[in-house]
Each structure stands twice: as C-alpha cells, then as structure tokens.
Amino acid sequence: MPHRRSAFFVSDRTGITAEAMGSTLLTQFDMQEFKRETIPYIDTVEKAQEVAQRICTRASSDHHRPILFTSIINPEVRAHLKLDCALSIDFFESFIGQIESELGQKAAQTIGKAHGLINEERYDHRIEAVNFSLNHDDGIKLKDLEEADVILVGVSRSGKTPTCLYLALQYGIKAANYPLTPEDLGCPTLPKSLLPYRNKIFGLTIDPLRLHNIRSERRRDSTYASMENCRSEVNEAESMFRQHAIPFISTTHKSIEEISTTILHKAGLSRRF
C-alpha cells in the first residue's frame, strides 16, 4: 500500500478554484492515496504563517512532504506559503506573469473575482434556475414544463435530482425531472404528461447492481430495492428510451460534472450566463 500523502488547497477566498485545479491534477496519480484538506480565507500574513506552521507540522508527522496548492492574490501572503517542507504549487504565480506578458497589462490583483457576486443579473438567473429545478423535482409540479430547458427522465435513484441542481447552479439551466414509475414502465408510450415536451427529454440510466445498492441503503429487503426489480426497471426504461429515440446516458461511473456536461453537449444546450 502506498503511503497516504497530505494535500492542502489554500486560498484567500472560498478555495473552490485551488481545490478544483489541484484535485484535477491529483486524479492523474491513481496509485497514490491523498488526505485532502481545503483551507479558505487565508488573506493576511498572520493567517498564512499559521497555515505554514500547520503544514510543516503535518510534514513532520507524515514523514513525507505534503503537496500544497495555493490560489492567493496578495504576493506578501503568498510568500509565506513558499515552504521547504512541502511541494508548493502556486497557480497565480505560475500563470499570471505569462498572461501579463501576452496582454501587455498588469493584473488587477483583486481578491474574489472568480466566485464573488459581481453580476447581479447572472446571480438572479442562477437562483431562478435553482428554484425551477426544486419546484419541478421528482414530478412534483408538471405545470410550466414549457419553461424547462431539459427534462431528465429515469427510474428512481438514477441521479436525476443532483444533476438538475448542478445544471442550475453551474450553467443556469432550468432542469426538471420525472421519475419513471412501474405504471409508466408498463405502458408502450411515454408518460402522458411528458408527450408535449418530448424534444426536451433526456434519459438517465444506471447499472442494476449499483441501483440495488443505492436503494438498499434506504429500503433494505424491499421489493423496491430487490435486484430483480432493479434489473427489470432499468431494462424497461432503456427500452422506452430506445423505442422513442430519447437520448440517454448511464450515470453509473460518471461524476455529476461529467453527467451534466454530457447532457449539455448532447442536448445542444448552452450556459445561460
């Protein structure tokens, strides 16, 4: 077993950027296990010194240098996180200089521009999309579906709700979802309430064993969670999608990000802000 290495994501704001970029790089080393820790709002020299001490203490106890990813604007704060006890990867220092040189312009060095509330119209659009997805979750509300950009359809627990919310938050997409019930699966046609919106439907499917495991966490030893029932529902759902030429993807081995990006691409949708 490889030794578990510590990885720190340190930022002067939320840490979303450092964590996303750093984690993406670490995924390329799948033989190594990482203990990941995000430390946000390190925006003063004093805070940076405290974090530096914490990282060096970890290096001593781990007997391996931690990997440190930082996204900090202030060069004085950044300087205190250039550590000999860790492999320090500074995203701003790595790229800002090259971009300044290309554009012939100095960077503004303003904190919070990536995830701050800069554009009220963009913020309002995102909130509107999230509210729409929540109001049209699991077929709760079937009115106003003409406003939907996409309607996700699939058996219960195939990943519809989290995908809808991710589409709303990240892309401003108004995504509704509809769970296929045993009654729906037993009919030769699409659910009646969805027929007017057939061109907006996108299917989600899932491996029956994975579905069985997910459902068993909620209702163990039930017909709903049985392997036989899961296999039957998935087969019937996929048959429905094929019969009516509904595009669909399997969520079994995909992250929410991958699922959402695939839907956006295959459904011909674009970011709303």
Side-chain angles (χ1 to χ4, degrees):
M1 278 290 290
H3 186 85
R4 194 179 189 198
R5 297 288 288 264
S6 292
F8 290 89
F9 310 99
V10 181
S11 172
D12 50 19
R13 291 295 291 170
T14 62
I16 293 172
T17 299
E19 185 176 344
M21 294 177 69
S23 292
T24 299
L25 293 173
L26 293 181
T27 59
Q28 298 303 308
F29 304 92
D30 53 6
M31 296 298 291
Q32 177 69 56
E33 185 179 358
F34 296 98
K35 180 181 180 182
R36 306 172 192 228
E37 193 168 337
T38 301
I39 307 176
Y41 301 113
I42 304 304
D43 50 9
T44 67
V45 167
E46 292 74 22
K47 290 180 182 178
Q49 289 172 333
E50 291 177 8
V51 170
Q53 181 58 51
R54 179 172 165 185
I55 292 171
C56 288
T57 300
R58 178 71 61 80
S60 179
S61 63
D62 284 355
H63 305 295
H64 283 81
R65 290 203 303 168
I67 301 175
L68 169 61
F69 299 97
T70 64
S71 60
I72 294 175
I73 290 287
N74 189 318
E76 290 184 39
V77 177
R78 286 208 311 261
H80 288 274
L81 290 168
K82 294 178 180 177
L83 309 174
D84 291 333
C85 67
L87 171 63
S88 301
I89 299 172
D90 185 329
F91 290 123
F92 277 102
E93 191 172 69
S94 297
F95 303 116
I96 286 291
Q98 296 179 59
I99 299 173
E100 286 179 334
S101 177
E102 179 66 26
L103 299 180
Q105 176 185 339
K106 296 296 289 183
Q109 296 194 359
T110 303
I111 293 176
K113 285 200 168 185
H115 302 287
L117 180 56
I118 301 170
N119 187 312
E120 288 189 15
E121 183 179 356
R122 171 178 172 170
Y123 177 80
D124 291 342
H125 197 108
R126 174 181 283 175
I127 294 302
E128 182 182 353
V130 170
N131 285 333
F132 182 89
S133 293
L134 289 173
N135 289 332
H136 295 80
D137 181 45
D138 262 355
I140 293 173
K141 185 178 179 183
L142 295 176
K143 294 181 180 180
D144 308 321
L145 283 181
E146 65 273 5
E147 295 181 23
D149 296 308
V150 66
I151 303 169
L152 302 187
V153 176
V155 300
S156 172
R157 312 304 292 175
S158 58
K160 300 182 300 299
T161 296
T163 303
C164 282
L165 290 175
Y166 189 89
L167 285 168
L169 278 168
Q170 295 299 319
Y171 302 111
I173 296 295
K174 290 185 176 180
N177 77 74
Y178 182 94
L180 292 172
T181 66
E183 291 75 21
D184 294 324
L185 295 170
C187 293
T189 62
L190 289 171
K192 185 177 180 181
S193 56
L194 297 181
L195 285 174
Y197 315 106
R198 184 189 170 288
N199 63 326
K200 295 184 177 186
I201 297 174
F202 200 99
L204 297 185
T205 187
I206 187 171
D207 179 78
L209 178 58
R210 174 65 178 150
L211 182 62
H212 163 69
N213 292 335
I214 293 172
R215 289 183 174 184
S216 292
E217 291 178 4
R218 303 186 69 196
R219 292 166 58 181
R220 186 176 298 276
D221 299 325
S222 64
T223 301
Y224 166 77
S226 72
M227 188 65 208
E228 182 182 357
N229 184 62
C230 290
R231 187 179 292 110
S232 173
E233 286 193 17
V234 168
N235 288 341
E236 290 187 31
E238 291 183 2
S239 176
M240 175 188 288
F241 297 150
R242 292 189 182 97
Q243 181 179 348
H244 298 283
I246 301 297
F248 69 95
I249 59 169
S250 173
T251 63
T252 309
H253 301 295
K254 289 184 173 64
S255 65
I256 294 296
E257 294 88 347
E258 289 179 290
I259 297 166
S260 301
T261 303
T262 301
I263 291 170
L264 224 63
H265 175 68
K266 290 192 173 183
L269 300 173
S270 58
R271 187 188 292 270
R272 299 304 187 197
F273 49 72

